[in-house]
Amino acid sequence: MSEFAPKSDFLRVLAERGYIHQCSDLSGVDEKAAAGDLIAYIGYDCTGPSLHVGHLLPTMMLRWLQKTGGGKPLPLMGGGTTRVGDPSGKDESRKILTIADIDANKASIRGVFSNFLTFGDGKTDAIMPDNAEWLTALNYIEFLRDVGRHFSVNRMLSMDSVKMRLERDQELSFIEFNYMCLQAYDFVELYRRYGCMLQMGGSDQWGNIVTGIDLGRRMGTGQLYALTSPLLTTASGAKMGKTASGAVWLNADMLSPWDYWQYWRNTEDADTGKFLKLFTELPMDEIRRLEALQGAEINEAKKVLANEATAMAHGRAAADQAMATARTTFEEGGASTDLPGVDIPQSEFAEGVGVLTAFVRAGLVASTGEARRQVKGGGLRVNDTAVTDERASISARDLRSGAVKLSLGRKKHVLLRPV
RNA sequence: GGGGAAGUGUCCCGAGCGGCAAAGGGGGCGGACUGUAAAUCCGCUGGCUAUGCCUUCGUAGGUUCGAGUCCUACCUUCCCCA
């Protein structure tokens, strides 16, 4: 891959920023992209109500495709396949959702995409198809006759995703086993409907994608291509996109821009350069400069990373605000009024609220028991003063410009406001 | 259809002679050290109106002063035979 000199901006960007893990035919893809004719899709399941950071990498590839004028991005909603479950790499079968759930998830996800892609009818405008459109209309007998006959069970059994399940004696249901057929068929259908010739995805999707290319050849599509991105783990080996409180969601109603900004701000040193390339659109020389920073200076690079990533998902204003809040909170030790807040009835407040209860109400701890333990471990602070007496209470005299600042550990702060 | 094994702290894995709020990991959280990083070390990791009370070991019963542990039935998963 290092030998390859792309003609298209699309592949050049992808290559230099580290998005490419494997590609079935780089020069083939390059040619289409150079002509601006590359129509590419990525499949997304609708198991969750939003997209999270794990979806960001493939989504950025679609964004670059659009931005470099390489062609048309098709984020495909797996409204049909979500009802099946993908065995790839997963140890456990995916839960099967109701149709109503899937629809709700789809609607929510559509909103997230609009932050990253421009939709419309133009040549490089994105379209969001849903494979339920064709999968639910399939007739079993016809599907077997027209599509099923092209699949070799022998080969399906030899695929890693299947082999793994068989070797571990883990249940692999017939529906899941069919997943790859449906995904392959999606590719063909997208070719027929939109002229889509490239499927992208995480490296764990390689097998499924190639199966689609094969099916296409047998069913008379033009040449199809596969391009996968590396699976991302943090430098210390953890999976991307998980934090204490769960997934790092991309929409504001599930994870505030402030928390999103913090997620990126807390990137491990060793990942900073990689993330700048993958998750921001800063010019490469700027990234190289930031990457070269050493020691505590890396924090500057992390702030840029947090800003750029947050701006993309939540807008520049939200990013600026998060940065300002971070500065007053962490660098000046103050209590920015933009910290997350929780309201408490004035009446209750007047009588004084127990510290333990207050922390529970603020959502910083799950129970008074946990609050008690945190007090013992020195983890709770009220207005930056450590809580030592678990029976203390909070009242009006603790107000600092209309709120009480509760902190758990160094990083989690909530403002308690009487209302 | 017959025979066998297993399901444990609602994150996961996993010990558990009838006295168990239940060993040990991993993960997570907090503390120290730092740079809102990593690594390392230490503490915590059922709930509550709290020196006590309540709820937890697949489900439902039973034996017992007392059951995660013994008995019965059922559910689920896996293995072997047909």
PDB file of all heavy atoms in Angstrom, chain A residues 188-208:
ATOM      1  N   VAL A 188     -25.496  -6.100  -3.995  1.00  0.00           N
ATOM      2  CA  VAL A 188     -26.010  -6.249  -5.349  1.00  0.00           C
ATOM      3  C   VAL A 188     -27.180  -5.296  -5.588  1.00  0.00           C
ATOM      4  O   VAL A 188     -27.264  -4.612  -6.613  1.00  0.00           O
ATOM      5  CB  VAL A 188     -26.466  -7.705  -5.595  1.00  0.00           C
ATOM      6  CG1 VAL A 188     -27.197  -7.831  -6.925  1.00  0.00           C
ATOM      7  CG2 VAL A 188     -25.264  -8.643  -5.541  1.00  0.00           C
ATOM      8  N   GLU A 189     -28.050  -5.250  -4.614  1.00  0.00           N
ATOM      9  CA  GLU A 189     -29.233  -4.410  -4.738  1.00  0.00           C
ATOM     10  C   GLU A 189     -28.845  -2.927  -4.824  1.00  0.00           C
ATOM     11  O   GLU A 189     -29.422  -2.165  -5.591  1.00  0.00           O
ATOM     12  CB  GLU A 189     -30.142  -4.671  -3.527  1.00  0.00           C
ATOM     13  CG  GLU A 189     -31.559  -4.195  -3.682  1.00  0.00           C
ATOM     14  CD  GLU A 189     -32.315  -4.863  -4.831  1.00  0.00           C
ATOM     15  OE1 GLU A 189     -32.102  -6.072  -5.091  1.00  0.00           O
ATOM     16  OE2 GLU A 189     -33.120  -4.165  -5.482  1.00  0.00           O
ATOM     17  N   LEU A 190     -27.857  -2.541  -4.038  1.00  0.00           N
ATOM     18  CA  LEU A 190     -27.414  -1.146  -4.067  1.00  0.00           C
ATOM     19  C   LEU A 190     -26.740  -0.817  -5.394  1.00  0.00           C
ATOM     20  O   LEU A 190     -26.803   0.311  -5.876  1.00  0.00           O
ATOM     21  CB  LEU A 190     -26.457  -0.863  -2.901  1.00  0.00           C
ATOM     22  CG  LEU A 190     -27.166  -0.714  -1.561  1.00  0.00           C
ATOM     23  CD1 LEU A 190     -26.152  -0.769  -0.412  1.00  0.00           C
ATOM     24  CD2 LEU A 190     -27.958   0.584  -1.501  1.00  0.00           C
ATOM     25  N   TYR A 191     -26.108  -1.802  -5.965  1.00  0.00           N
ATOM     26  CA  TYR A 191     -25.525  -1.596  -7.295  1.00  0.00           C
ATOM     27  C   TYR A 191     -26.639  -1.349  -8.301  1.00  0.00           C
ATOM     28  O   TYR A 191     -26.590  -0.429  -9.105  1.00  0.00           O
ATOM     29  CB  TYR A 191     -24.698  -2.812  -7.711  1.00  0.00           C
ATOM     30  CG  TYR A 191     -24.184  -2.695  -9.122  1.00  0.00           C
ATOM     31  CD1 TYR A 191     -23.016  -1.991  -9.397  1.00  0.00           C
ATOM     32  CD2 TYR A 191     -24.892  -3.268 -10.193  1.00  0.00           C
ATOM     33  CE1 TYR A 191     -22.559  -1.853 -10.696  1.00  0.00           C
ATOM     34  CE2 TYR A 191     -24.440  -3.130 -11.498  1.00  0.00           C
ATOM     35  CZ  TYR A 191     -23.275  -2.422 -11.748  1.00  0.00           C
ATOM     36  OH  TYR A 191     -22.830  -2.280 -13.035  1.00  0.00           O
ATOM     37  N   ARG A 192     -27.664  -2.194  -8.201  1.00  0.00           N
ATOM     38  CA  ARG A 192     -28.754  -2.074  -9.170  1.00  0.00           C
ATOM     39  C   ARG A 192     -29.520  -0.764  -9.009  1.00  0.00           C
ATOM     40  O   ARG A 192     -29.918  -0.145  -9.982  1.00  0.00           O
ATOM     41  CB  ARG A 192     -29.736  -3.240  -8.989  1.00  0.00           C
ATOM     42  CG  ARG A 192     -29.163  -4.553  -9.476  1.00  0.00           C
ATOM     43  CD  ARG A 192     -30.125  -5.675  -9.188  1.00  0.00           C
ATOM     44  NE  ARG A 192     -29.631  -6.933  -9.727  1.00  0.00           N
ATOM     45  CZ  ARG A 192     -30.132  -8.106  -9.382  1.00  0.00           C
ATOM     46  NH1 ARG A 192     -31.113  -8.174  -8.498  1.00  0.00           N
ATOM     47  NH2 ARG A 192     -29.648  -9.214  -9.903  1.00  0.00           N
ATOM     48  N   ARG A 193     -29.743  -0.388  -7.753  1.00  0.00           N
ATOM     49  CA  ARG A 193     -30.556   0.806  -7.510  1.00  0.00           C
ATOM     50  C   ARG A 193     -29.777   2.101  -7.659  1.00  0.00           C
ATOM     51  O   ARG A 193     -30.307   3.105  -8.106  1.00  0.00           O
ATOM     52  CB  ARG A 193     -31.144   0.759  -6.104  1.00  0.00           C
ATOM     53  CG  ARG A 193     -32.174  -0.339  -5.970  1.00  0.00           C
ATOM     54  CD  ARG A 193     -32.700  -0.409  -4.550  1.00  0.00           C
ATOM     55  NE  ARG A 193     -33.683  -1.480  -4.485  1.00  0.00           N
ATOM     56  CZ  ARG A 193     -34.881  -1.362  -3.911  1.00  0.00           C
ATOM     57  NH1 ARG A 193     -35.221  -0.251  -3.331  1.00  0.00           N
ATOM     58  NH2 ARG A 193     -35.715  -2.389  -3.906  1.00  0.00           N
ATOM     59  N   TYR A 194     -28.530   2.079  -7.196  1.00  0.00           N
ATOM     60  CA  TYR A 194     -27.791   3.351  -7.155  1.00  0.00           C
ATOM     61  C   TYR A 194     -26.467   3.319  -7.918  1.00  0.00           C
ATOM     62  O   TYR A 194     -25.739   4.300  -7.942  1.00  0.00           O
ATOM     63  CB  TYR A 194     -27.480   3.732  -5.708  1.00  0.00           C
ATOM     64  CG  TYR A 194     -28.704   3.880  -4.836  1.00  0.00           C
ATOM     65  CD1 TYR A 194     -29.120   2.846  -4.012  1.00  0.00           C
ATOM     66  CD2 TYR A 194     -29.447   5.065  -4.864  1.00  0.00           C
ATOM     67  CE1 TYR A 194     -30.256   2.979  -3.221  1.00  0.00           C
ATOM     68  CE2 TYR A 194     -30.576   5.210  -4.076  1.00  0.00           C
ATOM     69  CZ  TYR A 194     -30.980   4.170  -3.255  1.00  0.00           C
ATOM     70  OH  TYR A 194     -32.093   4.297  -2.476  1.00  0.00           O
ATOM     71  N   GLY A 195     -26.148   2.168  -8.467  1.00  0.00           N
ATOM     72  CA  GLY A 195     -24.860   2.053  -9.139  1.00  0.00           C
ATOM     73  C   GLY A 195     -23.699   1.999  -8.162  1.00  0.00           C
ATOM     74  O   GLY A 195     -22.557   2.324  -8.481  1.00  0.00           O
ATOM     75  N   CYS A 196     -23.996   1.579  -6.925  1.00  0.00           N
ATOM     76  CA  CYS A 196     -22.982   1.525  -5.889  1.00  0.00           C
ATOM     77  C   CYS A 196     -21.973   0.414  -6.173  1.00  0.00           C
ATOM     78  O   CYS A 196     -22.348  -0.734  -6.388  1.00  0.00           O
ATOM     79  CB  CYS A 196     -23.669   1.272  -4.556  1.00  0.00           C
ATOM     80  SG  CYS A 196     -22.528   1.011  -3.212  1.00  0.00           S
ATOM     81  N   MET A 197     -20.684   0.756  -6.209  1.00  0.00           N
ATOM     82  CA  MET A 197     -19.701  -0.281  -6.531  1.00  0.00           C
ATOM     83  C   MET A 197     -18.665  -0.508  -5.433  1.00  0.00           C
ATOM     84  O   MET A 197     -17.808  -1.362  -5.572  1.00  0.00           O
ATOM     85  CB  MET A 197     -19.006   0.006  -7.863  1.00  0.00           C
ATOM     86  CG  MET A 197     -18.052   1.181  -7.899  1.00  0.00           C
ATOM     87  SD  MET A 197     -18.862   2.784  -7.857  1.00  0.00           S
ATOM     88  CE  MET A 197     -19.361   2.997  -9.562  1.00  0.00           C
ATOM     89  N   LEU A 198     -18.775   0.242  -4.336  1.00  0.00           N
ATOM     90  CA  LEU A 198     -17.800   0.033  -3.269  1.00  0.00           C
ATOM     91  C   LEU A 198     -18.509  -0.113  -1.933  1.00  0.00           C
ATOM     92  O   LEU A 198     -19.400   0.662  -1.604  1.00  0.00           O
ATOM     93  CB  LEU A 198     -16.838   1.230  -3.195  1.00  0.00           C
ATOM     94  CG  LEU A 198     -15.920   1.279  -1.966  1.00  0.00           C
ATOM     95  CD1 LEU A 198     -14.935   0.123  -1.982  1.00  0.00           C
ATOM     96  CD2 LEU A 198     -15.196   2.619  -1.896  1.00  0.00           C
ATOM     97  N   GLN A 199     -18.087  -1.150  -1.203  1.00  0.00           N
ATOM     98  CA  GLN A 199     -18.577  -1.252   0.167  1.00  0.00           C
ATOM     99  C   GLN A 199     -17.394  -1.073   1.108  1.00  0.00           C
ATOM    100  O   GLN A 199     -16.352  -1.689   0.942  1.00  0.00           O
ATOM    101  CB  GLN A 199     -19.241  -2.610   0.442  1.00  0.00           C
ATOM    102  CG  GLN A 199     -19.752  -2.692   1.875  1.00  0.00           C
ATOM    103  CD  GLN A 199     -20.453  -3.994   2.220  1.00  0.00           C
ATOM    104  OE1 GLN A 199     -20.821  -4.218   3.343  1.00  0.00           O
ATOM    105  NE2 GLN A 199     -20.626  -4.858   1.228  1.00  0.00           N
ATOM    106  N   MET A 200     -17.584  -0.202   2.088  1.00  0.00           N
ATOM    107  CA  MET A 200     -16.535  -0.005   3.076  1.00  0.00           C
ATOM    108  C   MET A 200     -17.032  -0.520   4.414  1.00  0.00           C
ATOM    109  O   MET A 200     -18.204  -0.828   4.589  1.00  0.00           O
ATOM    110  CB  MET A 200     -16.201   1.485   3.169  1.00  0.00           C
ATOM    111  CG  MET A 200     -15.779   2.058   1.827  1.00  0.00           C
ATOM    112  SD  MET A 200     -15.115   3.735   1.928  1.00  0.00           S
ATOM    113  CE  MET A 200     -16.576   4.703   2.231  1.00  0.00           C
ATOM    114  N   GLY A 201     -16.133  -0.610   5.374  1.00  0.00           N
ATOM    115  CA  GLY A 201     -16.535  -1.102   6.687  1.00  0.00           C
ATOM    116  C   GLY A 201     -15.303  -1.374   7.525  1.00  0.00           C
ATOM    117  O   GLY A 201     -14.177  -1.170   7.072  1.00  0.00           O
ATOM    118  N   GLY A 202     -15.513  -1.831   8.723  1.00  0.00           N
ATOM    119  CA  GLY A 202     -14.405  -2.212   9.594  1.00  0.00           C
ATOM    120  C   GLY A 202     -13.759  -3.484   9.071  1.00  0.00           C
ATOM    121  O   GLY A 202     -14.356  -4.209   8.276  1.00  0.00           O
ATOM    122  N   SER A 203     -12.542  -3.751   9.509  1.00  0.00           N
ATOM    123  CA  SER A 203     -11.822  -4.905   8.966  1.00  0.00           C
ATOM    124  C   SER A 203     -12.544  -6.219   9.260  1.00  0.00           C
ATOM    125  O   SER A 203     -12.384  -7.193   8.542  1.00  0.00           O
ATOM    126  CB  SER A 203     -10.407  -4.956   9.533  1.00  0.00           C
ATOM    127  OG  SER A 203     -10.456  -4.995  10.941  1.00  0.00           O
ATOM    128  N   ASP A 204     -13.388  -6.243  10.284  1.00  0.00           N
ATOM    129  CA  ASP A 204     -14.120  -7.473  10.571  1.00  0.00           C
ATOM    130  C   ASP A 204     -15.196  -7.746   9.521  1.00  0.00           C
ATOM    131  O   ASP A 204     -15.773  -8.818   9.487  1.00  0.00           O
ATOM    132  CB  ASP A 204     -14.750  -7.402  11.971  1.00  0.00           C
ATOM    133  CG  ASP A 204     -15.698  -6.215  12.115  1.00  0.00           C
ATOM    134  OD1 ASP A 204     -15.476  -5.199  11.441  1.00  0.00           O
ATOM    135  OD2 ASP A 204     -16.656  -6.316  12.892  1.00  0.00           O
ATOM    136  N   GLN A 205     -15.434  -6.770   8.663  1.00  0.00           N
ATOM    137  CA  GLN A 205     -16.464  -6.946   7.637  1.00  0.00           C
ATOM    138  C   GLN A 205     -15.894  -7.469   6.310  1.00  0.00           C
ATOM    139  O   GLN A 205     -16.641  -7.706   5.371  1.00  0.00           O
ATOM    140  CB  GLN A 205     -17.187  -5.621   7.378  1.00  0.00           C
ATOM    141  CG  GLN A 205     -18.048  -5.179   8.546  1.00  0.00           C
ATOM    142  CD  GLN A 205     -19.146  -6.180   8.848  1.00  0.00           C
ATOM    143  OE1 GLN A 205     -19.840  -6.642   7.948  1.00  0.00           O
ATOM    144  NE2 GLN A 205     -19.278  -6.552  10.109  1.00  0.00           N
ATOM    145  N   TRP A 206     -14.589  -7.614   6.261  1.00  0.00           N
ATOM    146  CA  TRP A 206     -13.942  -8.000   5.007  1.00  0.00           C
ATOM    147  C   TRP A 206     -14.608  -9.209   4.354  1.00  0.00           C
ATOM    148  O   TRP A 206     -14.951  -9.192   3.177  1.00  0.00           O
ATOM    149  CB  TRP A 206     -12.460  -8.265   5.253  1.00  0.00           C
ATOM    150  CG  TRP A 206     -11.712  -8.679   4.021  1.00  0.00           C
ATOM    151  CD1 TRP A 206     -11.327  -9.940   3.681  1.00  0.00           C
ATOM    152  CD2 TRP A 206     -11.282  -7.826   2.953  1.00  0.00           C
ATOM    153  NE1 TRP A 206     -10.682  -9.918   2.467  1.00  0.00           N
ATOM    154  CE2 TRP A 206     -10.635  -8.635   1.994  1.00  0.00           C
ATOM    155  CE3 TRP A 206     -11.373  -6.456   2.704  1.00  0.00           C
ATOM    156  CZ2 TRP A 206     -10.087  -8.126   0.813  1.00  0.00           C
ATOM    157  CZ3 TRP A 206     -10.823  -5.954   1.519  1.00  0.00           C
ATOM    158  CH2 TRP A 206     -10.188  -6.772   0.599  1.00  0.00           C
ATOM    159  N   GLY A 207     -14.772 -10.248   5.127  1.00  0.00           N
ATOM    160  CA  GLY A 207     -15.362 -11.478   4.600  1.00  0.00           C
ATOM    161  C   GLY A 207     -16.736 -11.236   4.013  1.00  0.00           C
ATOM    162  O   GLY A 207     -17.040 -11.662   2.892  1.00  0.00           O
ATOM    163  N   ASN A 208     -17.552 -10.536   4.747  1.00  0.00           N
ATOM    164  CA  ASN A 208     -18.906 -10.251   4.277  1.00  0.00           C
ATOM    165  C   ASN A 208     -18.896  -9.423   3.000  1.00  0.00           C
ATOM    166  O   ASN A 208     -19.700  -9.637   2.099  1.00  0.00           O
ATOM    167  CB  ASN A 208     -19.683  -9.483   5.351  1.00  0.00           C
ATOM    168  CG  ASN A 208     -20.091 -10.384   6.515  1.00  0.00           C
ATOM    169  OD1 ASN A 208     -20.072 -11.601   6.399  1.00  0.00           O
ATOM    170  ND2 ASN A 208     -20.449  -9.773   7.623  1.00  0.00           N
TER     171      ASN A 208
END
